[in-house]
Each structure stands twice: as structure tokens, then as C-alpha cells.
Amino acid sequence: MERFSDAVNGYVDVEDALPRYLLARAAEGFAAEREAKESVGSRAEFEARRDRVRERFRAGLGGLPERVEDPPVEVAGALAGEGYSVERLAFESRPDVHVTANCYVPEGDGPHPGMLFLPGHVDAAKADPWNQRACIELVRNGFVVLALDPLGQGEREQYRDPETGEAVVAGGGGVFAHCYAGQQCFYAGANLARFVIHDARCGLDYLHGRPDVDAERIGVTGASGGGVQTLYLATVDERVDAAAPCCAVTEREAWLRTGKRIDAEQVIHGAVPAGINFDDLLAAMAPRPVCVGAARWDEYFPIEGVHETVDRVRRVYDLYDAAGNVELVLADEPHCSVYELGEGVFEFLCDRLGDADYEPHGGHAVRDEDELWVTPRGSVRAAYEGERTIDALVREYVRGNYPDAGRAPAVEDRDGYAERLRERVVERLDLDRPECDRYPRYVDRNESDGLAVDHVFFKSERDPDVVVTGVLVSDPERTAEDPAVVLYEQGTEELPERTGDVASLTREHGTVLVFDPRGVGAVRSRAIPIPAWAEDYYGIYGTEFKLAYDALLLGTSLFGMRVYDVLRAAGFLRSATGTERVSFVGEGVGASHALYAAAVDRDVGRVGLRDLGPGFAEMATSYEYPYDPRLTVYDVVGDCDVPHVLAALEERGVAVERGGAGQ
């Protein structure tokens, strides 16, 4: 049996279809967002919107942990600099969770202005040479500067085998570790940023508690991932007196058009339809001073979007007669650090918080990373017995919110449970959408070993369009009383090697449809080549990762979209065979699609699950789990997990067969 040839046998160009679909869906949200913001004409209207944004933002994070009162602080020692010292310290943001930090302290009793410095995605984090230079420049201008190691970076590396020393998850200066843990957070209806922001808030607590810091003059800055943290912290904590997010701001639509990826903590579920954009996070500070540092050639945050964002923020600040509190600093650089942006950011911070005008220094001597270590070996995991890693925090979150997560439910209401589960799956996977006419096209008809083989495509959605494909295989010698939708991981691309398996399934079911949901098999998206180092189509930062994250921003999921397509395939198979009842056979990720489609379809014969992976709660609460961006989905561990679906199918009397891969 043959797969489809290019462009669905020359009928339709599908390589860019899924990215185009996601952009079109997003455009609706962006248009509504612009209309809503243009209607804001008073301070009261803005503040009502700001309250809604903050509430929705916090909900997208999964809430924020309670801050620890008077967390213990350990000072490992101090290093002398020119007119300042560097204290090496650690504090517990939660029990058995240590945050390593360097505190740059100027000479004199103070009180000095304080600055929380949040590093971006670089392995050395607080000890990165460019970050050191920025901290030294600030301390030499009179600031007490606290530079933190974020989760997964610096001395807070999370995924390393303690016996072999080998990295379990590594890459991207902490990006890969964040996205690996971020996936677990998504399953639990949360975001990794809830833990990162919490650490930063504890850093603010520390600065507020220092007797040499003026608690009325504390700012926050950082670049890239640290700039995003700056935005988030300023949104939720009004103790930030001035903020300077750098290389971290743009307009979301301008960013989406580039085809770039973002990191797990930047994906606020449903941000696009909720109208939450970068300017909302900046404007949440109004009328407190804010400075956007931007690189004109930034490959991650398009400069056009920077200008649009700043213009929007200034319109809000005008409502407070405070447009002068919004500054934009530009540098002729690609994506870069706070220090590389030049003097403008430092001038802003000194002007708004400092004791005097900014005085440039430069020529700073930076230290080796190990000189700035707080722990003996540069690892909190090695230094503190019982140190908890991010998986333990996610596990705690899951168990606190969903005590029975991962367990088969106790079903008392046999008649109602399956229907309630169906309603939850429809809601969580965003399956309640209007159906379009399919108008199937048969683009090749032949036979193979006595079986009729038809290549067909139809539209699963319209405006924007989604094309899906399938190969319909029938046994002329028998009636298709139990036709099946067959879902291989690579869809119809696997047909040449799966001829025997398809023939066996056809003779068992009478007719089968080997099906390609959107982005799979014959309708697979082309590889999106930026960044160039993300070569693994199915890995972290690969093409599937990018598409799945874009879907989360829309408040939906690529996983759910594919389940929807499978349901459309079941409808096609019914019309093609004249039967009411269909079965599903899935393998690997396809088994997950088959399982959830069966939970929604009300007339299912059998479900064959080959190599079905672990449930979402199990993945969310494990130190190591089988990461797969195709399984990116939000808020399913509590009452919409694999055990719940299996229980619902059992209540309905649907036969579920589990086993290994077919041949």
C-alpha cells in the first residue's frame, strides 16, 4: 500500500497549512484585543481592565505560592571589589528549596536603592560575565544588587544524575529544563512561571529586609528570560518601584508571524483570546516608572512590535498624566544582555531610583564562575540534603489540588459518569466547535492483495481551513459492520511498512481508515527552521513544540485539535460504510488520540490501544517522563486523565484492548 504523494497527490499544498491556521485563529483574538483597548478612555476603565488582566494572568499561572515569612538566609562569604563587596548567599524560598544569589553591596551604610537582577537563559546565570558587568555597573552607582540563580540554571541545575554526573535534561542555557518541567505544569493547569515568580518575590522580600536598602526605592531588571520575569513580577507585586525589562517585550502578533518559539514560562494559556499581551503586563505598573530596553536587530522580539507595545503603554500612562514615566532604550544589537544595551537603562534606573545621576564606569573585571558559587561544588542538590527539585514542587502542586490524581475514579453513578466525563473532555480539549461539510475527494483508487484502497482527503474545519487525509481500505468479501479509524504515529506515511498490519485490521473490521489528523502523515507541516539549532522535529524547541505552544496561547491544544479531527474521521467512515458504530485503533501518540476520541464518540465498538504511554498525572509527577510535544495539553490531571477515560469506557461497555505495536 502506498502513501500519498506530495501535496496530497497534487491537490492541495498543505506544508504551511497548520501554521496558517493558527495565525488565522490568533488574528481573531488580536482584532478583538485592539478593539477592546481602543475603547478604554478613562483611568477607571483601564483599572477595571487591569484587574481582569491580573486575575486572568494569575489563573493562567495556577496561582502563586504563599511567601515564606523570614526565610532562613545563609551567607557563605564575601568578595571584595572596587568600592563594593559581593556577598554569596542562599535563602529558602520554600522548605528545602534553596535560591543561590550574589548580593553586590556598595560601601557606606545607606540606605541605598535596591535592585533585583533576574538573569536570562544562560547556564552560568548570576555568574555570567555580562550579568556580572551589569551588576557591577549598578553597585558602583550606589545600588544594592541581588542577582538570583533561576530554577534550572547556575547552582540550581535540576536534571543531573547524582551518581554519574550526566545531564538528564540540558540545553539552551536552561531553556530545555524549563520546557521539560513546563510541560508537567501544563498538565496540572499551571505554568512554570508560578515557581519562578515566587523565587523572585522572595528576592524582593530579602531586599526589603536589609537595613542598608531603602524599601521605597527597589527596582527590577533583567534581559530575555530575565526580562520576562521582570514583566511578570512587576505585574503581580506592587512593591516594584521601577522596572526595566530588556530584550523581552514585543507585540504578540508581530512575534507569532516570525515563526519563533517561546519558552514554557512565556506561554500563558489562552492569552490571545483573553487579550493579554506584553503591553498589558507593562501597563499594569501604571503610573510607576518603566523602561523597555530593546535591541533593534533582536531575533526573538521584533522591533516593530516593541514600538507598538510602547505606544500602547504610553496611551495608558497618559490617563495618569504620566507618559514621561515610560522610556524606551534602543541599541544597534541583536538579542543581548542588559549591559550590552548600553547606558540608557542605567541612566533610567539611576534617575528614578538612585542617589545621583548615572556615572559610567566600565572596564569591569569579572570573576570565574566558581568564585561566585555559594555552595562548595556549585550545586544546591549536592550541598543540601533533601533539596527538592522542580518535579517535587509540581508533584506537591498536583497532590495539593488533585489528591486523587493518577488513580482510577470510584464510579457510583454508572449512568451519569461517562456523560460527565465526555463533557469534561469536550471542554478541556476545545472540541465544541461547528462542523463544516466534508466534501471528500477520492484522489487515487486501486487495489492491494484483494483489498480496495482509496486515497481520500476532506476538510475538517473551514475559515480557517484544515485539510486531513486518509487511506480507506475495504475487504470486498465482507460487510463493514465494525469499521475502524486507524491512527499510526506517522499516519499514512507508515503505509508501505504497515501493509500487513493494515490488511489484517481490514479483514478483522471489514473496512479501516488509516487517518492523518492535521499536521500528521500526508499533511505534516514542513520543518520550521528557526532557531537553526532546533533540528529535532519532535524535540524541545522543534516544529511540533512550536505549533503546540502556539495552540496553548489560543486557549486550545494541538492534541485536542487532532482528537477533533479523529472524530471527524469517524463521521466520514460512518458515511462511507453506512454503519453507525465505529472502532478506533491507535498506536503510541495515536493511541492517546484514539482513547480521547472514544470518550467523546457516543457509538464506539472497540478501542485498540497499542503502546499507550503513561497517564498525564504520572508524567506530571515524575522526575523523568517520556517528553513528547505532541502530548502538550492543559489542565487534564484532575478529572480528565487516562484513568478517568478508561473508567468511562468501561461504564459504557466499550471493549478496550491494550497491547504492543502491530506489525
Side-chain angles (χ1 to χ4, degrees):
M1 296 178 192
E2 297 300 321
R3 58 173 68 95
F4 284 83
S5 60
D6 290 345
V8 189
N9 289 16
Y11 271 73
V12 56
D13 183 4
V14 292
E15 283 195 328
D16 293 317
L18 188 47
R20 286 199 305 266
Y21 170 86
L22 293 168
L23 282 172
R25 284 276 304 269
E28 300 169 7
F30 292 131
E33 175 199 343
R34 289 190 175 95
E35 183 178 352
K37 288 176 178 176
E38 287 170 0
S39 71
V40 174
S42 70
R43 191 183 302 182
E45 289 173 338
F46 163 71
E47 289 176 352
R49 175 181 172 81
R50 174 169 61 187
D51 290 344
R52 292 193 300 271
V53 166
R54 281 176 170 163
E55 182 179 356
R56 181 63 182 79
F57 177 71
R58 282 177 177 265
L61 299 179
L64 287 172
E66 292 293 326
R67 301 205 310 276
V68 178
E69 291 189 15
D70 298 322
V73 178
E74 300 177 22
V75 178
L79 304 169
E82 185 179 344
Y84 67 94
S85 62
V86 184
E87 297 176 2
R88 298 176 293 116
L89 61 92
F91 59 84
E92 287 186 84
S93 62
R94 303 177 79 172
D96 295 318
V97 178
H98 290 84
V99 179
T100 43
N102 292 153
C103 192
Y104 293 74
V105 183
E107 293 178 346
D109 295 332
H112 307 287
M115 183 62 56
L116 185 64
F117 189 91
L118 302 173
H121 285 115
V122 288
D123 287 326
K126 67 182 184 311
D128 173 76
W130 290 113
N131 290 339
Q132 288 188 55
R133 291 183 180 100
C135 292
I136 296 170
E137 192 73 5
L138 286 165
V139 73
R140 295 194 67 182
N141 276 275
F143 286 82
V144 173
V145 185
L146 183 69
L148 306 182
D149 277 334
L151 272 166
Q153 296 169 248
E155 297 179 74
R156 302 183 68 199
E157 190 275 332
Q158 302 285 293
Y159 298 108
R160 189 173 297 278
D161 189 309
E163 295 182 2
T164 67
E166 294 294 321
V168 177
V169 181
V175 167
F176 282 30
H178 288 176
C179 293
Y180 186 81
Q183 184 95 325
Q184 297 175 297
C185 294
F186 294 147
Y187 292 151
N191 188 294
L192 181 69
R194 79 181 300 271
F195 303 107
V196 176
I197 296 171
H198 174 72
D199 290 345
R201 295 183 81 194
C202 292
L204 275 183
D205 291 340
Y206 173 78
L207 284 174
H208 267 261
R210 283 187 67 108
D212 56 352
V213 171
D214 182 348
E216 301 300 317
R217 292 186 295 155
I218 296 181
V220 58
T221 189
S224 191
V228 172
Q229 292 177 53
T230 297
L231 282 174
Y232 288 178
L233 183 63
T235 299
V236 302
D237 199 318
E238 295 191 355
R239 295 177 300 168
V240 175
D241 298 303
C246 299
C247 289
V249 168
T250 191
E251 195 277 326
R252 203 181 298 279
E253 187 171 22
W255 167 81
L256 274 173
R257 289 173 179 167
T258 68
K260 286 284 187 180
R261 288 78 159 145
I262 51 178
D263 311 320
E265 57 268 39
Q266 297 178 36
V267 179
I268 304 303
H269 182 258
V272 172
I276 299 176
N277 215 320
F278 288 86
D279 61 283
D280 294 287
L281 305 180
L282 280 169
M285 282 200 65
R288 291 169 288 160
V290 63
C291 172
V292 173
R296 289 189 175 91
W297 312 328
D298 198 316
E299 61 268 41
Y300 297 103
F301 297 91
I303 192 63
E304 296 86 355
V306 174
H307 285 286
E308 182 174 352
T309 297
V310 172
D311 287 345
R312 290 182 183 182
V313 173
R314 282 180 173 147
R315 287 197 293 271
V316 170
Y317 272 64
D318 274 336
L319 300 174
Y320 294 85
D321 296 322
N325 278 354
V326 182
E327 295 191 23
L328 174 62
V329 172
L330 297 171
D332 292 332
E333 295 284 347
H335 193 68
C336 62
S337 67
V338 173
Y339 190 82
E340 292 168 290
L341 284 173
E343 297 179 355
V345 173
F346 299 118
E347 289 174 349
F348 164 82
L349 294 171
C350 288
D351 177 59
R352 301 310 176 110
L353 300 173
D355 295 318
D357 292 340
Y358 168 63
E359 180 183 348
H361 292 276
H364 305 305
V366 299
R367 302 175 187 273
D368 292 338
E369 182 178 0
D370 58 357
E371 291 184 76
L372 295 171
W373 282 351
V374 180
T375 59
R377 294 161 50 191
S379 168
V380 292
R381 294 186 63 198
Y384 300 103
E385 185 177 354
E387 179 74 8
R388 294 192 293 166
T389 48
I390 181 59
D391 65 290
L393 300 181
V394 177
R395 186 158 53 249
E396 179 182 67
Y397 177 84
V398 169
R399 290 174 177 168
N401 287 278
Y402 313 105
D404 297 323
R407 301 175 189 168
V411 178
E412 297 178 358
D413 180 4
R414 294 180 62 88
D415 295 328
Y417 179 79
E419 183 58 28
R420 291 194 300 274
L421 186 279
R422 180 185 185 277
E423 292 172 358
R424 289 197 295 270
V425 171
V426 168
E427 186 267 328
R428 301 291 165 77
L429 299 189
D430 187 31
L431 302 178
D432 185 15
R433 57 184 78 184
E435 292 189 358
C436 66
D437 292 326
R438 284 184 292 267
Y439 299 121
R441 274 82 114 190
Y442 291 82
V443 299
D444 185 59
R445 314 193 84 160
N446 53 60
E447 69 170 50
S448 173
D449 195 24
L451 301 175
V453 181
D454 295 333
H455 288 62
V456 61
F457 79 88
F458 57 86
K459 291 188 177 180
S460 184
E461 289 190 72
R462 291 207 60 197
D463 300 323
D465 287 0
V466 171
V467 171
V468 293
T469 48
V471 175
L472 187 69
V473 185
S474 303
D475 184 351
E477 300 298 321
R478 58 166 295 177
T479 302
E481 297 178 351
D482 180 30
V485 179
V486 178
L487 304 162
Y488 296 127
E489 284 206 335
Q490 303 301 327
T492 59
E493 286 294 295
E494 298 189 29
L495 276 175
E497 308 87 55
R498 294 303 192 107
T499 297
D501 187 46
V502 173
S504 176
L505 288 168
T506 302
R507 293 191 170 97
E508 178 183 350
H509 291 273
T511 297
V512 301
L513 176 67
V514 182
F515 181 63
D516 296 325
R518 68 190 73 189
V520 176
V523 289
R524 171 173 151 153
S525 298
R526 68 177 176 85
I528 301 174
I530 49 176
W533 44 263
E535 298 177 353
D536 185 350
Y537 192 94
Y538 297 107
I540 294 176
Y541 253 54
T543 297
E544 281 279 322
F545 171 99
K546 182 264 188 303
L547 298 172
Y549 272 31
D550 288 359
L552 287 182
L553 285 170
L554 295 175
T556 184
S557 66
L558 188 53
F559 179 86
M561 292 176 185
R562 287 169 174 162
V563 172
Y564 176 82
D565 294 340
V566 173
L567 293 168
R568 294 282 282 158
F572 164 76
L573 190 56
R574 287 186 171 96
S575 65
T577 60
T579 59
E580 288 299 319
R581 177 161 291 195
V582 299
S583 293
F584 297 98
V585 178
E587 191 170 296
V589 173
S592 296
H593 295 150
L595 178 64
Y596 278 83
V600 175
D601 195 306
R602 287 193 168 96
D603 203 350
V604 180
R606 293 178 282 164
V607 182
L609 304 175
R610 301 170 171 180
D611 290 340
L612 178 68
F616 293 110
E618 182 179 345
M619 290 193 288
T621 56
S622 300
Y623 178 67
E624 292 184 61
Y625 70 99
Y627 175 87
D628 193 320
R630 294 172 292 182
L631 296 174
T632 303
V633 67
Y634 189 81
D635 192 18
V636 289
V637 302
D639 55 8
C640 204
D641 200 355
V642 169
H644 303 99
V645 178
L646 291 172
L649 294 177
E650 182 180 357
E651 293 305 310
R652 288 168 49 191
V654 176
V656 177
E657 303 163 359
R658 300 185 66 170
Q663 301 300 315

